[in-house]
Amino acid sequence: MPTALITGASRGLGAEIARQLAPTHDLLLGGRPSAELDALATELDGASTFAVELTDHEELEGATEAISELDVLVHNAGVGSSLEKIADTPVEEWQHVLGVNLIAVAELTRLLLPALRAARGHVVFVNSGAGRNARPGWAPYAASKFGVTALAQALRGEEPEIRVTSVFPGRIDTDMQRDIVAIEGDEYDRSRFLKPATVAAAIVHAIATPGDAHPEDIILKPTGRG
């Protein structure tokens, strides 16, 4: 079977992507070492863990050396930001958010390009509506996601043998979303948000698209009817 590496796979959307890809792919489950990641690997019999701190570039390089061929790379790992105005956002917040959401993504892609070229593989960037529209209070997060949009566009032009898909979902019913809503001071109503399984299904469908087509951008917005 083809091999897929999913970052941020220990819970939420990443875990759901893994579950939906498991019947058709050998899986490398990316994430920090944790009981959750190990439990998912046990649940998905045959899956392996890729337990790496993505912002540790030396560790990341060592972990990717053994991957000689890779059919699918799903960039799902990411962090939110503090939702402060630009005037109140310290440089450390910019460094943290951009380091995880953009720089680590670019570096993992670079390290795995030989393996992706060997398989004529597929890179999926799980982006965000914030990668297309920046709202007040979201500057570091949106900047990181706009950066991922640019990264995907450039990669698509530079690597014509590799398919590159950007997925721009609206807000998803996840633990991170609960934290954001709490910061915003609102009550959490999961019906307002996309289900992880719905977003995962769109990603898996893009991956399964026959090779004569290139699914480039996918935009998903919640309807409130879930």
Side-chain angles (χ1 to χ4, degrees), residues 136-202:
W138 289 73
Y141 183 75
S144 72
K145 292 301 186 178
F146 267 82
V148 172
T149 300
L151 174 63
Q153 291 175 352
L155 181 65
R156 194 176 291 128
E158 292 174 7
E159 301 288 341
E161 294 300 310
I162 296 173
R163 295 198 297 182
V164 179
T165 300
S166 289
V167 183
F168 299 90
R171 297 172 71 161
I172 307 170
D173 177 22
T174 62
D175 291 341
M176 188 171 80
Q177 195 64 242
R178 289 182 180 274
D179 294 339
I180 292 170
V181 171
I183 293 170
E184 292 173 330
D186 291 338
E187 289 190 15
Y188 195 83
D189 179 1
R190 65 192 317 168
S191 69
R192 294 166 47 202
F193 308 123
L194 292 162
K195 297 175 182 177
T198 300
V199 180

Side-chain angles (χ1 to χ4, degrees), residues 119-133:
R120 299 179 69 183
H122 193 161
V123 181
V124 178
F125 295 94
V126 181
N127 203 301
S128 166
R132 302 175 66 245
N133 179 46

Side-chain angles (χ1 to χ4, degrees), residues 51-63:
V52 178
E53 172 54 65
L54 295 177
T55 57
D56 185 331
H57 301 149
E58 186 174 334
E59 180 185 1
L60 191 63
E61 183 173 8

Side-chain angles (χ1 to χ4, degrees), residues 4-223:
L5 168 57
I6 305 157
T7 68
S10 61
R11 59 179 183 163
L13 177 59
E16 188 58 38
I17 295 168
R19 291 185 180 102
Q20 294 193 27
L21 276 179
T24 56
H25 289 73
D26 291 324
L27 298 180
L28 294 172
L29 305 175
R32 293 186 179 93
S34 68
E36 290 175 311
L37 192 66
D38 291 340
L40 183 64
T42 300
E43 174 191 337
L44 304 177
D45 187 30
S48 300
T49 59
F50 182 79
V52 178
E53 172 54 65
L54 295 177
T55 57
D56 185 331
H57 301 149
E58 186 174 334
E59 180 185 1
L60 191 63
E61 183 173 8
T64 56
E65 285 178 351
I67 303 175
S68 60
E69 191 165 324
L70 184 65
D71 299 276
V72 177
L73 170 60
V74 180
H75 287 291
N76 171 71
V79 294
S81 62
S82 58
L83 305 185
E84 293 178 319
K85 293 181 179 179
I86 294 168
D88 301 319
T89 303
V91 67
E92 292 82 6
E93 179 74 2
W94 287 95
Q95 291 170 333
H96 173 62
V97 176
L98 290 169
V100 175
N101 290 358
L102 177 57
I103 296 172
V105 171
E107 179 64 358
L108 181 59
T109 302
R110 183 186 73 83
L111 291 169
L112 288 174
L113 272 177
L116 288 160
R117 290 173 184 144
R120 299 179 69 183
H122 193 161
V123 181
V124 178
F125 295 94
V126 181
N127 203 301
S128 166
R132 302 175 66 245
N133 179 46
R135 296 189 294 148
W138 289 73
Y141 183 75
S144 72
K145 292 301 186 178
F146 267 82
V148 172
T149 300
L151 174 63
Q153 291 175 352
L155 181 65
R156 194 176 291 128
E158 292 174 7
E159 301 288 341
E161 294 300 310
I162 296 173
R163 295 198 297 182
V164 179
T165 300
S166 289
V167 183
F168 299 90
R171 297 172 71 161
I172 307 170
D173 177 22
T174 62
D175 291 341
M176 188 171 80
Q177 195 64 242
R178 289 182 180 274
D179 294 339
I180 292 170
V181 171
I183 293 170
E184 292 173 330
D186 291 338
E187 289 190 15
Y188 195 83
D189 179 1
R190 65 192 317 168
S191 69
R192 294 166 47 202
F193 308 123
L194 292 162
K195 297 175 182 177
T198 300
V199 180
I203 292 167
V204 171
H205 180 75
I207 292 168
T209 300
D212 62 316
H214 191 155
E216 294 189 353
D217 292 338
I218 299 171
I219 299 171
L220 300 171
K221 296 183 178 181
T223 63

